[in-house]
Amino acid sequence: MWPRLVASKLLHRLSSSNSSAAADFPTTTTATSNWDEIVNLQRSCDDGKETRNYKLFASTWNVGGMAPPSDGLNLEDWLHTRNASYDIYVLGFQEIVPLSAKNVFGPEKTRVAAKWNSLIGAALNRSSSFSEGRREAKMGEQRVHPVGEGTARSFHCILSKQMVGILVSVWVRADIRRCIRHAGVCCVGCGLMGCLGNKGSISVRFCLHETSFCVVCCHLASGGKEGDELHRNSDAKEIFSRTCFLPHPSLDLPTKILDHDRVILLGDLNYRVSLPEATTLSLVEQKNWNVLLEKDQLRTEVSVGRVFDGWHEGAITFSPTYKYYPNSDEYYGCIQRKKGEKRRVPAWCDRIIWHGNGIKQKLYERCESKLSDHRPVRSIFGVEVEVVTSLTSLTSF
């Protein structure tokens, strides 16, 4: 049975890793042909555009193969829903399932992804649920609004995709849902045999009004030995080379990552600190982040031009996000190591970077959930979006 599963999975990855894939959710997409006709009509009548600013929340979280607890998990602190309001949420996970041979070669465990999406939706929509609580309670199930319905503060998942342990979930406010078009997905496996999905990326593409977005969620090669950073560089180059979205039959839509107007890359990039273990642990105990960051592999590789040329990252003012004992604030190695326990030196493995103009970072920080051996990292961006003028009046008919 196992040889057959391995062969099937390998053939599937070889045939699909360089091409666009269908999203896991929504299973049916809202037709955009009418909207395209409206946009094209407006362009023919009036080429005028204006720039609008939107707030985008981006976060990455390696959950270490830990499924959400059976008694639920409150994500409101992580998603910052109590203190702020955002227009778009792009959320990337790694290791939503353990990276075992069964999970790498076998079918996707979609129930785990569905559970995460359910928790995300509950957290994002809790603030708007009160006004509709009575009606939804009578239905006895979660209400799903058709496009154009719902309060401005409610959120819809426009796209979700899983590849082994990587999961991407994109949510937008109800009142801008109708302005989202051309959502697409592309998966690239860089793991076992150079193509399986235990490592790699899921890239998602969508257009908001006249501006194209691409979000890349990565899980790059692991390893703390000298030279392992080159494997991570190689994975990143493979992702940029092999990611290609399906072209549109009549529109000139971007197909490669860097062809998009606004590009964000996030994930467990796995870059470590190039210092001896004892030195690193001593600096961690002193909270001397500046000295540690001077030896951060990602910064070093970017500065010498080996990877992510032209990309930007905000100032890191938070402590390393990896590796913790589960349900603890203690780093591995900072307390007595158990017999047979692997060496794991603290590092900023979890990062969010961006490329291009029209993006301004407002916040870059880590969160304090103790679910896994990683801490989530989140960033708030202001993004500029081009809008065809008078389009609102056209769509009101």
Side-chain angles (χ1 to χ4, degrees), residues 20 45 75 78 93 105 142 189 225 243 255 267 290 292 294 315 326-327 331 336 359-360:
S20 292
C45 297
L75 301 181
W78 170 47
F93 296 84
F105 291 106
Q142 182 178 357
K225 300 189 299 296
T243 297
T255 58
N290 290 335
L292 283 169
E294 290 175 2
N327 298 310
Y331 288 108
Q336 186 64 40
I359 303 179
K360 185 175 182 180

Side-chain angles (χ1 to χ4, degrees), residues 202-222:
I202 300 176
S203 298
V204 299
R205 183 269 307 279
F206 62 90
C207 295
L208 173 57
H209 292 289
E210 300 299 294
T211 300
S212 61
F213 287 76
C214 183
V215 179
V216 186
C217 177
C218 300
H219 194 184
L220 304 185
S222 59

Side-chain angles (χ1 to χ4, degrees), residues 241-259:
S241 173
R242 291 162 51 191
T243 297
C244 188
F245 297 98
L246 289 176
H248 193 279
S250 59
L251 297 175
D252 185 21
L253 294 177
T255 58
K256 303 296 287 183
I257 291 172
L258 295 180
D259 293 339

Side-chain angles (χ1 to χ4, degrees), residues 33-295:
S33 57
N34 291 340
W35 179 255
D36 288 336
E37 290 174 6
I38 292 170
V39 172
N40 291 332
L41 173 62
Q42 175 62 18
R43 285 173 179 157
S44 67
C45 297
D46 182 4
D47 289 332
K49 294 180 181 179
E50 66 180 20
T51 300
R52 294 181 187 171
N53 293 308
Y54 289 84
K55 290 188 289 185
L56 185 149
F57 178 105
S59 186
T60 177
W61 191 1
N62 185 323
V63 295
M66 303 293 292
S70 57
D71 58 352
L73 183 66
N74 190 329
L75 301 181
E76 291 184 27
D77 287 341
W78 170 47
L79 298 175
H80 213 226
T81 58
R82 294 170 182 164
N83 302 316
S85 174
Y86 305 104
D87 304 301
I88 305 167
Y89 283 82
V90 290
L91 309 173
F93 296 84
Q94 304 82 45
E95 296 188 49
I96 64 167
V97 296
L99 300 183
S100 62
K102 181 179 179 180
N103 289 330
V104 173
F105 291 106
E108 309 286 16
K109 288 188 174 180
T110 57
R111 282 190 293 182
V112 178
K115 178 64 174 176
W116 279 110
N117 278 322
S118 176
L119 290 169
I120 293 165
L124 293 180
N125 289 311
R126 191 166 284 125
S127 61
S128 63
S129 63
F130 179 77
S131 61
E132 298 184 87
R134 291 183 180 180
R135 182 168 52 174
E136 293 184 14
K138 290 179 181 179
M139 296 176 65
E141 60 183 5
Q142 182 178 357
R143 177 176 170 79
V144 179
H145 295 288
V147 173
E149 192 176 320
T151 66
R153 282 285 301 136
S154 63
F155 286 85
H156 296 267
C157 180
I158 63 165
L159 189 149
S160 177
K161 181 65 180 176
Q162 177 186 1
M163 180 182 73
V164 188
I166 302 174
L167 171 67
V168 175
S169 191
V170 182
W171 297 70
V172 302
R173 274 199 350 256
D175 58 334
I176 65 170
R177 171 63 182 89
R178 64 166 65 241
C179 306
I180 300 285
R181 297 170 292 130
H182 311 306
V185 181
C186 185
C187 300
V188 172
C190 300
L192 295 172
M193 293 176 273
C195 65
L196 292 180
N198 55 305
K199 293 292 188 294
S201 69
I202 300 176
S203 298
V204 299
R205 183 269 307 279
F206 62 90
C207 295
L208 173 57
H209 292 289
E210 300 299 294
T211 300
S212 61
F213 287 76
C214 183
V215 179
V216 186
C217 177
C218 300
H219 194 184
L220 304 185
S222 59
K225 300 189 299 296
E226 184 178 354
D228 283 342
E229 65 272 20
L230 302 180
H231 298 304
R232 296 184 262 279
N233 295 351
S234 177
D235 282 356
K237 292 174 183 176
E238 282 288 297
I239 288 165
F240 288 119
S241 173
R242 291 162 51 191
T243 297
C244 188
F245 297 98
L246 289 176
H248 193 279
S250 59
L251 297 175
D252 185 21
L253 294 177
T255 58
K256 303 296 287 183
I257 291 172
L258 295 180
D259 293 339
H260 292 77
D261 299 316
R262 313 286 179 257
V263 186
I264 295 172
L265 185 145
L266 48 80
D268 180 0
L269 306 189
N270 253 322
Y271 288 95
R272 310 300 171 89
V273 175
S274 295
L275 285 172
E277 179 183 13
T279 304
T280 301
L281 293 176
S282 175
L283 291 169
V284 167
E285 289 176 354
Q286 300 170 38
K287 301 186 184 300
N288 195 335
W289 310 139
N290 290 335
V291 174
L292 283 169
L293 284 167
E294 290 175 2
K295 296 296 183 178

